[in-house]
Amino acid sequence: MGRTPTRVGVVGYGYWGSKHVRVLNSLPDVEVTVIDQDEQRLREAMSSFPSVRIATDLADELESQDAVVVATPPGVHAPIALQALKAGLHTLVEKPLATSVEEAESLVEAARSADVRLMVGHTFEYNPAVWKLKEIIASGELGRVLYIDAARLSLGRYQHDCNVIWDLAPHDISIVSYLLDEVPQTASVWAQRNVGGQHEDVAYIRLEFEQSGAPAFVHLSWLHPEKVRRVTVVGEKKMAIYNDMSDNERIRIYDVGVDPAQVDEGASHGFPVSYRFGDIVSPFIPFQEPLLVQDGHFVECVRTGREPQTPGERGLDIVRVLAATDVSTATGGPATIPSTLEVAGNGTGNGSVRLSGVRP
Ligand SMILES: NC(=O)c1ccc[n+]([C@@H]2O[C@H](COP(=O)([O-])OP(=O)(O)OC[C@H]3O[C@@H](n4cnc5c(N)ncnc54)[C@H](O)[C@@H]3O)[C@@H](O)[C@H]2O)c1
């Protein structure tokens, strides 16, 4: 006898929701219902995936689903997720979990009250290349991390309801905090609006990580001629670049570095440093589609009751960082990000964030 199918409703069949539908539909014993208020989108879903059910309103589906994936624009993540959680449905919400700290907290609280699993779609924490980069850092091969530089640039998909930071930075903030095992304490932002007049489309963020002592710099743009998806980790011994645009060399480890020059009183020329050059090595990383890993993990959590590796609390932490970037953009100065412990102490949150061992 087969297993009872797990019924998953995907709310929002746009650019990204259609990918959720593809991967969920490929998993054994999963029945997918596509829910979108736009009937044209539903026709497209039926044409691409004839086996899925369709619906226009989540309210009509609350009784007939076990779980929901929210892949609508960020501004409506919270109300839709809240509706699902209150109906007792396990819920996976795309990044960012919500568009304010208060909303994100209400989702974490609702999941706790209903005793259902809340997960956030931090896709890069399910990416084998990011796992590999973390392994390389943890092994000590790079030496002490001096700084991390991340860039996510292209002629991007301008969003109606958020700026480039809320759209793209959840990826980089989740990657760097996962790599360093730490949520940043301070964010400083320079951001500019160039097109459309409503939302910033280019931003540079500096994040401070007290324990690791290594800052991270994140450059985001919807207004850039080249598609760049890159994370560079500069260590005292070696440096590594994770280039998500590369097919077969997504990580390269550079055995290069710079050391202070030996003091030579007599020399009046030359560099104040000496350079080391060595091999460039690219480790083999078996390909697994991150979204398939992520959604497969969600379905497993729904079936077993296991806590997801990126629970709502993790999404809440990243929303706190995003909210701090708004403060910094407005004031021009650094903004403090309340730590999970401080927030828990205030009784306004809970946040038990686990940043290691993320592999499902
Ligand atoms: N994890 C990733 O790598 C990744 C990549 C891209 C987008 N995303 C996220 O996915 C989400 C969707 O982004 P997108 O680019 O696919 O957007 P989109 O605009 O292409 O699609 C959104 C869809 O949601 C539907 N929708 C809107 N409000 C709705 C409602 N109240 N009920 C039902 N349907 C509704 C729209 O009709 C549309 O079909 C966003 O949260 C975005 O941040 C994640």
Side-chain angles (χ1 to χ4, degrees):
M1 232 172 67
R3 184 169 25 194
T4 310
T6 305
R7 302 162 303 170
V8 184
V10 177
V11 188
Y13 186 81
Y15 163 69
W16 198 244
S18 64
K19 296 184 196 306
H20 278 286
V21 171
R22 172 175 56 75
V23 300
L24 286 165
N25 204 41
S26 74
L27 293 172
D29 304 316
V30 173
E31 277 179 11
V32 178
T33 301
V34 179
I35 303 159
D36 200 302
Q37 59 193 13
D38 181 338
E39 296 198 355
Q40 175 57 28
R41 294 280 165 97
L42 294 177
R43 281 192 285 277
E44 285 164 21
M46 284 292 278
S47 144
S48 301
F49 304 101
S51 64
V52 302
R53 291 176 64 240
I54 54 166
T56 49
D57 193 347
L58 174 61
D60 300 332
E61 288 296 317
L62 295 172
E63 302 278 302
S64 46
Q65 304 298 326
D66 301 305
V68 157
V69 173
V70 182
T72 57
V76 287
H77 283 182
I80 294 173
L82 211 51
Q83 188 183 15
L85 292 166
K86 285 184 170 167
L89 302 182
H90 304 288
T91 303
L92 164 59
V93 184
E94 257 311 326
K95 59 78 197 165
L97 178 63
T99 50
S100 73
V101 172
E102 295 70 25
E103 281 179 345
E105 283 173 348
S106 72
L107 295 183
V108 169
E109 196 42 54
R112 180 162 306 131
S113 308
D115 192 22
V116 292
R117 306 282 81 83
L118 171 63
M119 173 165 159
V120 63
H122 290 168
T123 327
F124 282 91
E125 294 186 47
Y126 299 90
N127 185 316
V130 176
W131 299 340
K132 187 72 189 178
L133 188 54
K134 185 176 172 78
E135 244 176 60
I136 292 165
I137 294 171
S139 74
E141 184 175 358
L142 307 183
R144 186 168 63 89
V145 175
L146 300 177
Y147 72 92
I148 298 181
D149 180 276
R152 194 166 298 274
L153 324 167
S154 64
L155 273 194
R157 295 164 50 84
Y158 276 73
Q159 301 293 317
H160 290 288
D161 63 349
C162 68
N163 68 13
V164 73
I165 298 178
W166 283 82
D167 181 36
L168 299 181
H171 290 315
D172 299 289
I173 299 167
S174 89
I175 292 172
V176 294
S177 61
Y178 171 65
L179 292 177
L180 295 175
D181 261 336
E182 189 181 356
V183 178
Q185 291 81 30
T186 315
S188 309
V189 178
W190 177 91
Q192 180 163 301
R193 236 173 265 162
N194 296 284
V195 182
Q198 216 192 340
H199 299 301
E200 291 81 8
D201 49 13
V202 179
Y204 293 81
I205 307 175
R206 177 188 167 119
L207 300 168
E208 297 292 346
F209 294 84
E210 272 166 25
Q211 274 169 32
S212 33
F217 303 91
V218 181
H219 179 194
L220 307 152
S221 181
W222 287 329
L223 193 60
H224 193 88
E226 199 184 359
K227 184 162 179 175
V228 177
R229 301 288 185 256
R230 193 185 55 222
V231 178
T232 305
V233 182
V234 174
E236 249 175 349
K237 291 192 209 154
K238 293 185 186 177
M239 306 180 188
I241 297 182
Y242 158 39
N243 177 5
D244 198 52
M245 300 308 294
S246 169
D247 285 335
N248 51 13
E249 292 188 3
R250 277 179 296 152
I251 293 184
R252 284 181 173 179
I253 304 168
Y254 294 73
D255 186 5
V256 299
V258 182
D259 298 306
Q262 299 297 321
V263 178
D264 179 354
E265 296 292 344
S268 59
H269 58 275
F271 295 111
V273 294
S274 65
Y275 295 88
R276 286 182 283 110
F277 295 102
D279 291 340
I280 301 171
V281 174
S282 180
F284 174 69
I285 302 167
F287 181 76
Q288 283 176 276
E289 184 181 357
L291 190 64
L292 179 59
V293 177
Q294 175 195 287
D295 286 8
H297 174 59
F298 176 57
V299 170
E300 192 211 330
C301 292
V302 170
R303 286 178 180 152
T304 61
R306 182 181 161 187
E307 188 64 15
Q309 302 290 353
T310 50
E313 289 86 349
R314 176 86 176 117
L316 169 57
D317 267 343
I318 302 304
V319 168
R320 284 200 188 107
V321 180
L322 294 167
T325 69
D326 281 347
V327 174
S328 177
T329 304
T331 62
T336 304
I337 301 149
S339 82
T340 302
L341 289 177
E342 282 167 40
V343 175
N346 288 340
T348 54
N350 46 69
S352 64
V353 172
R354 296 166 302 155
L355 295 175
S356 52
V358 175
R359 282 176 208 214

